[in-house]
Amino acid sequence: MRNIIIDTDPGIDDILAILFALKCEALNVEALTTVSGNVPVEIATKNALKILEIANRRNILVASGASRPLRKDQLTAELIHGKDGLANMNLSEPTIKKVNLSAVELMKERLLKSKEPITIAAIGPMTNLAILNILYPRVFSQIEEIIFMGGAAFCPGNITSGAEFNIYVDPDAANLVFNSGVKLKMIGLDVTMKTILKKDKIENSNDFGGETYKFFRRLINNALEIIPQSMEKGGIALHDPLAIGACLSNDILKYKEYDLKVETEGSEGLGVTLVDDRSWSQSKKNAKVAVEVDNNAFIDLFLKTLRK
Ligand code: RIB
Ligand code: CA
């Protein structure tokens, strides 16, 4: 069993990732911490509470985090995720409440109290993690591993020609995390753009599956209307769910260790992640970067798990 805290900016694929994690028997979701990214943090927090209500997991703690990046201006992606961050499903307000702690304080409390290691699954901009590192470096060093959806090592970006959204939103936070010495796994666009969920993989019969699966199907159908199909190859890229898949012990992903850096200055290159792939390089390797994915195996695992 792996204990995880999901740091998230729900967003459509974040919701898919949270649903997937909640159904994975090998994962214990300790808490959800929210951050400004796809949508402002207030909406991200509301969506995190809502999905726990829909999944009937009301006991999982939710704490609200950073409302903007460390240095850059706030950037959100309502055009892709809808103003409500849920492909404009316009759900009712959640009835469960967030805890009266910030995301950083909840991460600190769980890391200090837990007798077992905790992994952080970071599927939004890394602002909360950077603040935890700045305020409580000793607690930060207790993190078992950070498995993050972000970056693009050998492929184009999605928010600029070279940068991936989560890193681009807060490159300074990513830079702090990359240089912190924490065990890092990068699940970048190199692999997530190969895990495209297509409409024909989803049952159309309305009576198939339980409440959660029916919600999942509605979300997918709405998302397919709003996410530019040119951007996600005629389906929905399972960016964040693949980061949850990386928390499971399986051979769906293959990794290579690299010296991983991020560009924090400039304009065109801002937020670009760089890996040193020179065979003679002596630079210190600080991250395992996912370089291959068995995409069919992952999509099958994702759907089988959600149908449970
Ligand atoms: O680039 C994809 C990432 O940015 C995903 O985490 C998506 O939710 C957005 O946050
Ligand atoms: Ca996300």
Side-chain angles (χ1 to χ4, degrees):
M1 179 72 79
R2 187 191 281 253
N3 302 308
I4 66 171
I5 292 173
I6 303 176
D7 195 58
T8 177
D9 59 335
I12 293 167
D13 63 321
D14 298 70
I15 291 292
L16 299 179
I18 294 165
L19 282 177
F20 180 43
L22 294 174
K23 291 255 183 180
C24 285
E25 284 151 16
L27 299 179
N28 168 41
V29 180
E30 291 257 348
L32 303 182
T33 52
T34 60
V35 63
S36 173
N38 290 320
V39 288
V41 70
E42 296 78 12
I43 296 178
T45 306
K46 196 165 72 169
N47 292 342
L49 291 164
K50 194 68 197 171
I51 197 59
L52 292 177
E53 210 169 60
I54 289 166
N56 198 22
R57 299 291 295 275
R58 308 162 73 91
N59 60 317
I60 293 177
L61 304 177
V62 176
S64 182
S67 59
R68 50 149 301 155
L70 294 182
R71 178 172 61 105
K72 276 184 67 204
D73 293 339
Q74 184 186 34
L75 174 69
T76 54
E78 286 96 336
L79 270 182
I80 305 287
H81 292 266
K83 278 204 77 55
D84 64 353
L86 297 175
N88 299 324
M89 289 176 81
N90 300 317
L91 302 177
S92 59
E93 293 292 302
T95 57
I96 58 177
K97 301 285 179 225
K98 64 180 181 174
V99 295
N100 195 17
L101 287 172
S102 71
V104 169
E105 295 299 332
L106 180 59
M107 283 178 178
K108 174 191 163 211
E109 183 198 75
R110 304 308 302 154
L111 284 163
L112 286 174
K113 278 191 175 166
S114 177
K115 292 190 175 27
E116 293 170 19
I118 293 180
T119 291
I120 308 275
I123 56 176
M126 292 183 164
T127 317
N128 290 334
L129 285 168
I131 296 169
L132 180 71
N133 179 261
I134 293 166
L135 293 179
Y136 307 108
R138 197 173 50 78
V139 177
F140 183 92
S141 68
Q142 292 177 210
I143 295 172
E144 179 188 33
E145 183 172 29
I146 293 177
I147 298 177
F148 71 95
M149 191 282 133
F154 304 105
C155 70
N158 59 359
I159 186 75
T160 67
S161 59
E164 177 279 327
F165 180 81
N166 285 338
I167 306 297
Y168 182 79
V169 165
D170 199 340
D172 302 291
N175 191 40
L176 260 169
V177 172
F178 292 0
N179 291 302
S180 68
V182 67
K183 201 172 156 197
L184 270 182
K185 269 201 186 109
M186 171 174 143
I187 314 302
L189 296 178
D190 308 85
V191 288
T192 67
M193 283 307 290
K194 291 178 180 156
T195 55
I196 305 293
L197 179 61
K198 302 264 182 152
K199 192 174 175 71
D200 61 4
K201 294 283 278 186
I202 313 285
E203 298 76 9
N204 280 319
S205 54
N206 280 328
D207 55 4
F208 182 91
E211 283 315 301
T212 306
Y213 193 75
K214 285 176 181 154
F215 166 81
F216 158 72
R217 193 170 48 234
R218 276 179 50 216
L219 176 60
I220 292 290
N221 288 330
N222 279 44
L224 284 164
E225 297 299 316
I226 190 171
I227 293 178
Q229 294 309 290
S230 56
M231 190 176 161
E232 305 215 333
K233 301 179 182 175
I236 294 172
L238 297 177
H239 301 295
D240 294 340
L242 190 56
I244 299 299
C247 298
L248 304 169
S249 44
N250 57 41
D251 53 4
I252 284 175
L253 286 160
K254 299 274 183 286
Y255 299 90
K256 196 171 170 193
E257 287 198 282
Y258 285 108
D259 173 17
L260 171 66
K261 291 188 185 340
V262 55
E263 181 53 73
T264 57
E265 301 300 335
S267 53
E268 287 315 302
L270 188 63
V272 169
T273 45
L274 300 154
V275 296
D276 188 344
D277 198 25
R278 296 169 298 172
S279 56
W280 65 87
S281 166
Q282 299 299 311
S283 54
K284 185 175 176 308
K285 295 175 171 56
N286 60 338
K288 284 185 172 178
V289 176
V291 291
E292 279 177 49
V293 58
D294 181 341
N295 52 329
N296 292 322
F298 176 68
I299 291 171
D300 290 346
L301 171 68
F302 173 70
L303 290 171
K304 184 162 74 63
T305 305
L306 281 184
R307 288 181 186 128
K308 276 195 287 191

